[in-house]
Amino acid sequence: MLVSLLLLAAVGAIVALGVALTVRSKKDFDDANEVVPGVKSPAPASWAGAHSAEAKMHRRLGAAVRSARNNPRLVELGLSERTRQIESEALAIDERLIAAAGLPMSHRADAVNALEPHVVELEDAVSALITSTTISQSRTLLEQAVSEADIKLQALAQARAEVEQLDQQATGEISTDRDDEPGTATR
């Protein structure tokens, strides 16, 4: 009887360990699919290991954000706002990437490929910031690198705004912002 109880307890422990490892593995898999850690991505779970262009760009966005987040010097040097801008732009690009991947096959490749330069610009902005923190002994070089990253981030934001405006015109949506309407001035 005692042997049966010990055997049953051992089997129960093994099953519990197996469940715990499965849950942990699923969480790690889901976390790896996030562009910004802690922000659930609407990207398909299959993108975590897929070889399609959209899946690779999705993972590159996540890698760029993690590179910026994992550099403690960015916070030390007061560049955490740049990290937030990088995260915001990465999420916006990822959103467009997911939408492009949902297009019919005849339009998908062109739409996805059009986002490649935006991914490269974001990666370049992150690279400039990280490089600036490693050579921060020279304040001039740091300021120059931060300025270059700011310019790239502003260009990405402007491009995103233009695309959103084109989308609104194409879908017939009218802006609800009263400041955008002619003849409506604010005091």
Side-chain angles (χ1 to χ4, degrees), residues 30-39 41 43 47-48 53-71 83 86-95 97-98 118-120 122-123 126 130:
D30 290 344
D31 290 350
N33 202 33
E34 295 174 348
V35 170
V36 175
V39 178
S41 174
W47 281 12
E54 56 268 22
K56 289 178 181 179
M57 281 191 266
H58 170 77
R59 290 193 303 269
R60 286 171 52 196
L61 289 169
V65 168
R66 283 187 298 281
S67 294
R69 276 187 156 213
N70 292 339
N71 189 330
T83 303
I86 287 167
E87 291 172 357
S88 174
E89 288 306 316
L91 288 171
I93 294 168
D94 193 51
E95 183 179 298
L97 193 57
I98 293 165
H118 298 291
V119 174
V120 170
L122 184 80
E123 290 171 328
V126 170
I130 290 173

Side-chain angles (χ1 to χ4, degrees), residues 14-15 17 21 27 33 43 56 62 67 84 88 97 116 137 145 165 174:
I14 291 171
V15 168
L17 179 63
L21 288 174
K27 184 186 178 324
N33 202 33
K56 289 178 181 179
S67 294
R84 284 191 289 280
S88 174
L97 193 57
E116 174 81 20
Q137 294 80 12
Q165 185 179 18
I174 309 244

